[in-house]
Amino acid sequence: MRKRIVAGNWKMNKVFSEAETLITEIADALDNVEIENAEVILCPPALYLEMAMDVAFESNFTVGAQNVYPEDSGAYTGEISPLMLKELNVDYCIVGHSERRKYFGESHEFLLRKVDALLKHDISPIFCCGELLPEREAGEHFSVVKRQLEESLFHLAPDEFSKVVIAYEPVWAIGTGVNASNEQAREMHAHIRKLVKGKYGLETAENLSILYGGSCNAKNAAELFAQPDVDGGLIGGASLKAEEFIKIVLSL
Ligand code: PGA
């Protein structure tokens, strides 16, 4: 049975002392939460991964990175390698977030390399896909997402693909306060699962966790997560307050 997941993407927020407080608050709250077959993943800025791992060691959440460079080591000033993440025992890493695609020009091909580099070290990519507003308005959203998956993920062998988590994040919904409707989320998640089924077969498709992201919050999470094929959420803004984030976790 596929895992239900709530992942918090903190992006470039919180100084260290604030991050420590937030992580501790979330860890304490999770002590009292028992949700079957579910996982909570926190993705803080890279500087705080070690601290997060220390807290996670005695708590109910796992830790993900927000970014990685697709080489194990070398002259790549400022970058962080999958080997470094592996040594910290980080389990997940976000790949293909629309902010990386937009502000850092990350291409399908570069994202493919990141996916491969992570899987080589058994770190699961949380692969983000999603269309821009003009693409949705032009009715191209299904083909845009198809291409994103085909170009960066569908080269994987079935056993590698089974370690991937997909997050559908319509770009027009990220940080805007305008989430996808239940219907829009439902049909895109079904589309993604169908594409995966076509490529990897029924069992792999059924085991894949597909998260929704984009202005998901404590108010809309329960409805979104109740849609067939929506297996949880990738949460940005609403993951920065422990109380709200825990409400989202409880919506699983
Ligand atoms: P948001 O961001 O929840 O703030 O819209 C989601 C994301 O970018 O992962």
Side-chain angles (χ1 to χ4, degrees):
M1 203 169 89
R2 60 184 174 255
K3 216 186 270 177
R4 298 178 68 72
I5 296 173
V6 167
N9 173 12
W10 290 12
K11 309 192 180 180
M12 196 177 71
N13 290 297
K14 306 283 178 191
V15 295
F16 187 85
S17 55
E18 294 168 337
E20 245 187 334
T21 305
L22 180 55
I23 282 219
T24 310
E25 285 172 359
I26 291 172
D28 288 349
L30 287 176
D31 277 348
N32 306 313
V33 170
E34 185 80 51
I35 303 172
E36 228 176 279
N37 199 31
E39 184 165 1
V40 175
I41 306 169
L42 299 183
C43 304
L47 270 179
Y48 314 151
L49 285 172
E50 192 173 355
M51 177 274 287
M53 286 305 305
D54 284 346
V55 181
F57 188 67
E58 300 202 322
S59 184
N60 264 337
F61 67 91
T62 47
V63 175
Q66 294 178 17
N67 191 26
V68 71
Y69 191 81
E71 294 290 341
D72 281 350
S73 64
Y76 303 101
T77 302
E79 295 298 315
I80 290 173
S81 87
L83 197 58
M84 297 171 187
L85 297 179
K86 188 65 202 170
E87 201 173 74
L88 286 183
N89 285 319
V90 166
D91 290 302
Y92 293 91
C93 181
I94 298 171
V95 176
H97 193 282
S98 67
E99 287 148 17
R100 302 274 344 156
R101 293 180 193 259
K102 178 178 173 194
Y103 301 128
F104 303 94
E106 296 190 357
S107 64
H108 297 306
E109 147 69 8
F110 190 57
L111 299 176
L112 174 148
R113 287 177 55 206
K114 289 190 181 203
V115 166
D116 286 351
L118 288 166
L119 287 171
K120 183 175 146 199
H121 295 286
D122 213 17
I123 299 170
S124 287
I126 301 175
F127 184 83
C128 303
C129 56
E131 79 286 356
L132 305 166
L133 185 58
E135 292 169 334
R136 176 160 284 267
E137 286 171 346
E140 292 164 359
H141 41 295
F142 292 124
S143 58
V144 167
V145 167
K146 179 168 185 260
R147 173 141 191 250
Q148 290 170 333
L149 302 184
E150 284 176 349
E151 301 269 324
S152 305
L153 284 185
F154 280 5
H155 65 291
L156 294 173
D159 62 320
E160 293 173 319
F161 186 85
S162 64
K163 296 185 184 120
V164 173
V165 172
I166 291 181
Y168 168 55
E169 300 205 304
V171 182
W172 45 270
I174 297 178
T176 58
V178 182
N179 58 287
S181 67
N182 298 334
E183 172 71 21
Q184 287 169 328
R186 185 168 63 229
E187 59 181 17
M188 183 59 87
H189 283 234
H191 172 66
I192 293 169
R193 203 175 304 282
K194 196 168 157 210
L195 291 170
V196 172
K197 185 178 159 203
K199 173 74 188 169
Y200 293 103
L202 180 65
E203 196 183 336
T204 304
E206 284 300 321
N207 286 333
L208 169 71
S209 300
I210 309 176
L211 315 183
Y212 168 77
S215 296
C216 184
N217 57 39
K219 289 205 176 77
N220 59 29
E223 271 195 46
L224 284 161
F225 297 172
Q227 303 308 311
D229 293 310
V230 178
D231 305 310
L234 179 56
I235 318 297
S239 72
L240 296 172
K241 290 200 184 105
E243 204 185 325
E244 170 136 33
F245 185 67
I246 294 299
K247 281 188 189 154
I248 297 171
V249 171
L250 291 172
S251 307
L252 271 176

